[in-house]
Amino acid sequence: TAYIQEVQDNTAVNVAQESQIRIKPYDRLTGVVSSKDPELASPFNVMTSYNSLSNNPLGQASVSSNQSLQIRTVSADGNLYMPIIGNVYCVGKTRTELADEIAKRIIDGGYIADAAVNIQFADMKFFVLGEVERPGQFDITRDKVTVLEALAMAGDMTIYGNRENVTVVRKEQGQTKTYVVNLLDTGCFSSPAYYLQQNDVVYVQPKKQRAASGEINQNRNLVISIVSTLI
């Protein structure tokens, strides 16, 4: 079955505007501050992380002696703790926007005049299930991942995959939402689920023939089991 069957050569289509992955509570990030003078940047790169089980309303961070990883966890209230400058609210920001905010606070505070900040996602994932060749979890290594790229990483759909009914399950603002994407139609490009977010679950439903075949096999196995028991 061909994807995007209505598309024609040299034709523009509308693509969903919300494309870059935005930070959510409990995301794990790496943050490195750099400068022409490494000694000035060093205090900002001390390994700190939130204890997500802590009820401390001030969001106090625990300090580790391991400075090589520099992985920090966004707190439940959306703050990322940075040494020296303290909490930085980051939910809803892209990693570039967060890096710019941290650099601005360091420069405005008079700590480093030429501060540069690099924020990267750590162990961010999405999941692909159903009628694909290699279902499983996959790492997010860049700012944009489309549902088509996710399926490619999972080895594409099997011949039994229903390309008209790909479901994306997403947690948003404390709720679980589902989006149905029809990959046979150009409207899939404008779907809110065309670009994936962290922890999205992509589920490829089977075609009716596949589902019916599975039901027949289950019933056949049940009959064989009953006959064997009777014998």
Side-chain angles (χ1 to χ4, degrees):
T1 303
Y3 291 98
I4 324 297
Q5 296 180 359
E6 297 178 0
V7 72
Q8 297 180 359
D9 183 37
N10 198 26
T11 301
V13 294
N14 294 325
V15 179
Q17 294 182 352
E18 185 61 33
S19 57
Q20 293 194 50
I21 294 174
R22 295 189 175 272
I23 299 168
K24 298 179 181 179
Y26 304 113
D27 282 348
R28 285 159 52 85
L29 310 172
T30 61
V32 178
V33 179
S34 59
S35 168
K36 292 181 180 179
D37 186 346
E39 292 185 2
L40 293 177
S42 179
F44 293 92
N45 293 324
V46 174
M47 174 59 188
T48 59
S49 61
Y50 274 104
N51 180 356
S52 60
L53 300 179
S54 174
N55 295 321
N56 186 347
L58 298 178
Q60 184 176 356
S62 58
V63 180
S64 169
S65 60
N66 183 359
Q67 299 184 22
S68 60
L69 294 178
Q70 299 168 344
I71 295 178
R72 299 176 172 87
T73 303
V74 180
S75 66
D77 55 3
N79 287 306
L80 184 74
Y81 181 84
M82 291 292 296
I84 313 297
I85 63 174
N87 289 331
V88 180
Y89 188 78
C90 58
V91 169
K93 292 183 173 68
T94 65
R95 65 182 186 88
T96 302
E97 291 170 347
L98 176 59
D100 291 343
E101 171 68 18
I102 294 173
K104 183 178 184 300
R105 288 182 56 171
I106 292 174
I107 294 172
D108 291 347
Y111 301 107
I112 305 176
D114 63 341
V117 180
N118 184 10
I119 299 292
Q120 297 288 340
F121 297 125
D123 59 29
M124 281 189 153
K125 304 180 185 300
F126 63 86
F127 307 84
V128 183
L129 305 174
E131 289 293 339
V132 293
E133 291 292 342
R134 297 188 299 273
Q137 69 176 25
F138 301 88
D139 293 327
I140 295 175
T141 57
R142 54 188 186 276
D143 294 328
K144 298 181 181 180
V145 179
T146 69
V147 65
L148 290 173
E149 291 170 333
L151 293 173
M153 293 172 69
D156 201 0
M157 296 186 195
T158 69
I159 60 173
Y160 302 107
N162 187 349
R163 287 158 176 79
E164 297 182 74
N165 198 335
V166 176
T167 302
V168 177
V169 182
R170 176 177 298 167
K171 290 185 179 180
E172 293 181 331
Q173 299 177 349
Q175 295 181 332
T176 299
K177 294 185 178 180
T178 57
Y179 299 92
V180 177
V181 182
N182 181 358
L183 295 179
L184 302 186
D185 187 80
T186 54
C188 70
F189 295 116
S190 59
S191 168
Y194 178 69
Y195 286 102
L196 298 183
Q197 296 289 322
Q198 60 270 48
N199 300 318
D200 277 359
V201 178
V202 179
Y203 172 61
V204 179
Q205 295 192 12
K207 294 180 179 178
K208 292 182 179 180
Q209 298 91 329
R210 173 71 162 178
S213 174
E215 185 175 349
I216 290 172
N217 288 336
Q218 288 181 357
N219 292 338
R220 181 181 299 156
N221 292 337
L222 178 61
V223 171
I224 292 174
S225 177
I226 293 175
V227 171
S228 299
T229 302
L230 291 176
I231 292 174

